[in-house]
Amino acid sequence: MKVPSLLIDKAKSVANIERMLQKAQDSGCVLRPHFKTHQSHETARWFRELGIRKIAVSSVSMAQYFAADGWKDIMIAFPVNLREMEEINELAGKVRAGILISSKGVTSMLRNKLKNPVDLYLKVDVGTHRTGFDPQEITSIEKELEDAGKNEMLTFRGFIAHAGHTYQTGSKDEVKAIYEQGSQILKQLRNHFSSCFPGIIISWGDTPSCSIIDDFSGIDELRPGNFVYYDLMQWQLGACKLEEIAIAVAAPVVAVHPGRQEAVVYCGAVHLSKEYLVTSSGEKIFGMVVFVDEHKKWSFPPSMLWVDRLSQEHGILRGPVEIIRELKAGQLLGVLPVHSCLAVHALRD
Amino acid sequence: MKVPSLLIDKAKSVANIERMLQKAQDSGCVLRPHFKTHQSHETARWFRELGIRKIAVSSVSMAQYFAADGWKDIMIAFPVNLREMEEINELAGKVRAGILISSKGVTSMLRNKLKNPVDLYLKVDVGTHRTGFDPQEITSIEKELEDAGKNEMLTFRGFIAHAGHTYQTGSKDEVKAIYEQGSQILKQLRNHFSSCFPGIIISWGDTPSCSIIDDFSGIDELRPGNFVYYDLMQWQLGACKLEEIAIAVAAPVVAVHPGRQEAVVYCGAVHLSKEYLVTSSGEKIFGMVVFVDEHKKWSFPPSMLWVDRLSQEHGILRGPVEIIRELKAGQLLGVLPVHSCLAVHALRD
């Protein structure tokens, strides 16, 4: 490892997948994992070996990437980009493709634009206020589904939600409350529309709630993504243990400044992203430093060493002087990222 | 433009380059622009057409990339990564290559590792405290240069500084004060060492000071990078005008929520980075929205529309309802990035 690159612990990752799959099965849900976190054919195959066949992605290009490795049931869990109709049509000619509508009037804009059948999902805003239909506005939803009914290439399959506001919580109880409220909204919508659209499903996302909640009875499908590797943000939210984080970024030491209790690694904002945690004392942390052995396995230092700040390629580490002064230029460290999705996107092949 | 991608305004960029080059020439400095901002052969050629021959980059891979397009004098302005000696040796066999030492003891670690001559620069910490030698510790610097003298492949060429703390300033006067203090430090070091090392230079970086200061007399070399495109951060620092920003990120609208005065674009954290500005009222802004015409030229909306928050691929815009409600899914907008270096790195080919 000469430059910043991904270190993946397969055993930890497979254990994370197995645990989530077991939970989904115990709750009678289909697990449709979100593959935006790993964006990797190799990691995707670990899911396939466990019997998973349905996936979600967040762009048309990711859908193409996974279709090329034999995935046949792909939901593009991002509001449909009308500028990519050609690519969506091509994809839907090869695999079962799902698209997402998340605001009024977009379904009618698909008229005469689809050349192959696609599954349609409606995104519901369960409180995150990122995007999606307001569940109170039943008339808007009815209008959208009416427009869908006029398009013979579209089949409405159900409602999906991503409770991203779980990322703003401070306790597991808050996450549970968000799930209770959000899942009720979806269940009510399914009840309301299932007479007209028999067999429609409700699909629930977000790794914090999927990790923290044990019983998803009544939900048809789970779409977490980040759990495959987890990261420091999930750890801070209580969604995983530090030892369950299955990813680190290889970071060569390039300068050591014991007098300042700092060292510099070649691993910066373009590798880790500028996502940070705020500690209980109000300090920003851009990553946690681990030691890396010759087998690319990592272990934790005796005291915490963290990424204190970042510039484009520089990561500035801080920690106890007795650890810093032992570091050597040329040595390889690892950094557990704050947000694995962003680090993976930056460093994927 | 179907997906998030870079829009570059060549005329604005060339004007930015010409202005900086003129200033360097007027001050009797060599302009060695930092190419980490654009990472583009095409943009690099605009510099070449203006007579520029010396460049700086921040990684060995960037040096290889520009060497492949005929650049022959490349300083890797990042603490030397001892894990890439093979690549550095290969590079130094083809071009005039400069490397950087920024902490004690690294020069001696280069013994027997270099196969071709390279230029050596010492990084000086002029107050940023990112990395570099403490200018007070003359003995440490002398020891390093002594080690360099024992390595026949190394020739000490001078001291370089990057006053990154200009990014933390609130006024032009603060930037000027940083330059006065930092340039004095470099000049004193040059005076101290020039009897032993005749012809050594001092090299000054950072776009805010290079943009705000008019006269660089006494400095040998300027290494700004960001000025080629500028961005919102530079604008907030007073280093450029809004109309001098030469880059935007194409962002397709995918959902419109007039009731919330928001819209969603396909342009998220993996495209813009999570770098933000804090406005005078304390709000975070992740980008400024512009209209884009069919010639890929942008113009400013009648009232400000901004990127209020980001997730992996989603950008959430906020602004006056009369602008929001006119947006349509499928429409192409642009986003002026907060930090162009990070957006370019994410979206380069």
Side-chain angles (χ1 to χ4, degrees):
Chain A
M1 309 250 102
K2 294 178 169 189
V3 297
S5 33
L6 296 175
L7 302 170
I8 311 282
D9 188 317
K10 180 179 175 180
K12 289 180 183 180
S13 178
V14 170
N16 292 342
I17 301 168
E18 286 174 334
R19 207 165 46 248
M20 192 63 79
L21 180 59
Q22 188 63 52
K23 182 188 288 196
Q25 288 171 341
D26 289 348
S27 301
C29 301
V30 168
L31 180 63
R32 182 192 282 275
H34 205 312
F35 277 11
K36 77 187 171 87
T37 307
H38 58 78
Q39 298 188 50
S40 153
H41 284 173
E42 186 182 351
T43 300
R45 290 175 192 171
W46 305 340
F47 285 90
R48 191 186 275 154
E49 283 164 17
L50 292 168
I52 285 161
R53 295 292 176 267
K54 296 170 186 241
I55 65 170
V57 296
S58 54
S59 68
V60 177
S61 56
M62 270 186 232
Q64 292 167 327
Y65 171 81
F66 286 111
D69 200 43
W71 292 88
K72 296 287 185 198
D73 187 334
I74 306 176
M75 177 201 289
I76 304 170
F78 185 84
V80 62
N81 177 14
L82 295 169
R83 302 178 80 86
E84 290 184 287
M85 292 315 301
E86 193 183 328
E87 291 77 6
I88 291 169
N89 282 324
E90 201 221 330
L91 182 79
K94 292 191 295 192
V95 307
R96 179 169 189 168
I99 62 171
L100 200 68
I101 301 291
S102 77
S103 69
K104 284 186 253 185
V106 180
T107 310
S108 67
M109 296 171 84
L110 289 169
R111 195 178 304 153
N112 301 326
K113 290 202 173 134
L114 289 167
K115 301 216 166 74
N116 289 300
V118 301
D119 291 336
L120 178 74
Y121 294 90
L122 246 69
K123 177 75 171 266
V124 179
D125 179 9
V126 294
T128 305
H129 307 321
R130 179 170 69 176
T131 188
F133 286 83
D134 180 339
Q136 303 300 316
E137 294 189 10
I138 291 290
T139 321
S140 300
I141 297 174
E142 284 171 344
K143 171 70 172 65
E144 218 63 27
L145 297 183
E146 198 183 304
D147 287 337
K150 294 177 193 160
N151 190 329
E152 58 178 11
M153 291 300 170
L154 275 181
T155 306
F156 175 56
R157 297 294 181 187
F159 295 102
I160 90 164
H162 177 264
H165 47 321
T166 55
Y167 284 87
Q168 313 306 324
T169 55
S171 73
K172 292 187 178 186
D173 283 343
E174 281 181 78
V175 172
K176 287 175 185 167
I178 287 172
Y179 171 69
E180 285 307 324
Q181 191 185 21
S183 59
Q184 273 310 111
I185 290 170
L186 290 183
K187 287 171 188 171
Q188 283 164 8
L189 284 172
R190 185 178 54 191
N191 290 347
H192 183 91
F193 285 96
S194 60
S195 55
C196 294
F197 299 95
I200 55 169
I201 67 155
I202 54 177
S203 175
W204 181 265
D206 93 274
T207 285
S209 71
C210 289
S211 300
I212 288 167
I213 312 289
D214 288 322
D215 183 4
F216 287 94
S217 303
I219 298 288
D220 300 298
E221 185 176 274
L222 291 181
R223 297 182 337 280
N226 183 286
F227 73 99
V228 61
Y229 299 146
Y230 284 123
D231 53 32
L232 292 184
M233 197 187 291
Q234 299 291 338
W235 169 66
Q236 196 184 42
L237 289 163
C240 69
K241 299 176 194 149
L242 214 47
E243 312 84 63
E244 288 167 348
I245 296 176
I247 191 170
V249 180
V253 176
V254 293
V256 184
H257 301 288
R260 291 207 301 266
Q261 299 184 232
E262 291 185 348
V264 182
V265 288
Y266 177 17
C267 184
V270 294
H271 312 109
L272 293 171
S273 88
K274 289 209 103 170
E275 197 96 66
Y276 57 84
L277 291 186
V278 180
T279 66
S280 52
S281 55
E283 284 176 293
K284 287 182 183 177
I285 286 191
F286 293 88
M288 195 183 281
V289 180
V290 290
F291 293 145
V292 175
D293 71 16
E294 65 272 30
H295 307 292
K296 302 184 187 175
K297 295 289 171 200
W298 59 85
S299 58
F300 293 90
S303 304
M304 196 172 98
L305 206 63
W306 66 95
V307 182
D308 185 68
R309 52 202 193 276
L310 292 172
S311 44
Q312 183 164 344
E313 273 92 9
H314 298 76
I316 314 297
L317 315 184
R318 279 188 73 84
V321 66
E322 56 277 16
I323 300 180
I324 295 287
R325 72 177 169 221
E326 297 300 322
L327 299 177
K328 293 271 177 295
Q331 176 180 351
L332 192 74
L333 293 173
V335 177
L336 303 188
V338 171
H339 191 167
S340 61
C341 307
L342 300 189
V344 167
H345 185 92
L347 291 165
R348 72 201 189 285
D349 297 326
Chain B
M1 309 249 102
K2 295 179 168 188
V3 298
S5 32
L6 297 175
L7 302 171
I8 312 283
D9 187 317
K10 180 179 175 181
K12 289 181 182 179
S13 179
V14 170
N16 293 341
I17 300 168
E18 286 174 334
R19 208 165 46 247
M20 191 63 78
L21 179 59
Q22 189 63 51
K23 182 187 289 195
Q25 288 171 340
D26 289 348
S27 301
C29 301
V30 168
L31 180 64
R32 183 191 283 274
H34 204 312
F35 277 12
K36 77 186 172 85
T37 306
H38 59 77
Q39 297 188 49
S40 153
H41 284 174
E42 186 182 351
T43 300
R45 290 175 192 171
W46 305 340
F47 285 89
R48 191 186 278 155
E49 284 164 19
L50 292 168
I52 285 161
R53 295 291 178 268
K54 297 171 184 239
I55 66 171
V57 297
S58 54
S59 67
V60 178
S61 55
M62 269 186 234
Q64 292 167 327
Y65 171 80
F66 287 111
D69 199 43
W71 292 88
K72 296 287 184 197
D73 186 335
I74 306 176
M75 177 201 290
I76 305 170
F78 185 84
V80 63
N81 176 15
L82 295 169
R83 303 180 80 85
E84 290 183 286
M85 292 315 300
E86 193 182 330
E87 290 77 6
I88 291 169
N89 282 324
E90 201 220 334
L91 181 79
K94 293 190 294 192
V95 306
R96 178 170 190 168
I99 62 171
L100 200 68
I101 301 291
S102 77
S103 70
K104 285 185 253 185
V106 179
T107 310
S108 67
M109 297 170 84
L110 289 169
R111 195 178 304 153
N112 301 326
K113 290 201 174 138
L114 289 167
K115 301 217 166 73
N116 290 300
V118 301
D119 290 337
L120 178 74
Y121 295 89
L122 245 71
K123 176 75 171 264
V124 179
D125 179 10
V126 292
T128 305
H129 306 322
R130 180 170 71 175
T131 188
F133 285 83
D134 181 339
Q136 303 300 317
E137 294 189 11
I138 293 288
T139 323
S140 300
I141 296 173
E142 285 171 345
K143 170 71 172 67
E144 219 62 29
L145 297 183
E146 197 183 306
D147 287 337
K150 295 176 191 159
N151 190 328
E152 59 179 12
M153 292 297 171
L154 275 181
T155 306
F156 175 56
R157 297 294 181 187
F159 295 102
I160 90 165
H162 178 263
H165 47 321
T166 55
Y167 284 87
Q168 314 305 324
T169 54
S171 72
K172 293 187 178 186
D173 283 343
E174 281 180 77
V175 171
K176 287 175 184 167
I178 287 172
Y179 171 69
E180 286 307 324
Q181 191 185 19
S183 58
Q184 273 310 110
I185 290 171
L186 290 183
K187 287 171 187 171
Q188 283 163 8
L189 284 171
R190 185 179 53 191
N191 289 347
H192 183 92
F193 286 96
S194 59
S195 56
C196 294
F197 300 94
I200 54 169
I201 67 157
I202 53 176
S203 174
W204 182 265
D206 93 275
T207 284
S209 71
C210 289
S211 301
I212 289 168
I213 311 290
D214 288 321
D215 182 5
F216 287 95
S217 303
I219 298 288
D220 300 297
E221 184 176 273
L222 291 180
R223 296 183 339 278
N226 183 284
F227 74 98
V228 61
Y229 299 146
Y230 285 122
D231 52 32
L232 293 183
M233 197 187 291
Q234 299 291 339
W235 168 66
Q236 196 183 45
L237 288 163
C240 69
K241 300 176 191 147
L242 214 47
E243 312 83 65
E244 289 168 348
I245 297 176
I247 190 170
V249 180
V253 176
V254 294
V256 183
H257 300 289
R260 290 207 302 267
Q261 298 183 233
E262 289 184 350
V264 182
V265 287
Y266 175 17
C267 183
V270 295
H271 313 109
L272 293 171
S273 89
K274 290 208 104 172
E275 198 94 66
Y276 57 84
L277 290 188
V278 179
T279 66
S280 52
S281 55
E283 285 175 292
K284 287 183 184 176
I285 285 192
F286 293 88
M288 195 183 280
V289 180
V290 290
F291 293 144
V292 176
D293 70 17
E294 65 273 29
H295 306 293
K296 301 184 188 175
K297 295 289 171 198
W298 59 87
S299 58
F300 292 91
S303 304
M304 196 172 98
L305 206 64
W306 66 95
V307 182
D308 186 69
R309 50 202 193 276
L310 293 171
S311 45
Q312 183 164 344
E313 274 92 9
H314 299 75
I316 315 297
L317 315 184
R318 280 187 73 83
V321 67
E322 56 277 16
I323 300 181
I324 294 287
R325 73 177 167 220
E326 298 301 320
L327 299 177
K328 294 271 177 296
Q331 178 179 351
L332 192 74
L333 294 173
V335 178
L336 303 188
V338 171
H339 192 167
S340 60
C341 308
L342 301 188
V344 168
H345 185 93
L347 290 166
R348 71 199 191 285
D349 296 327

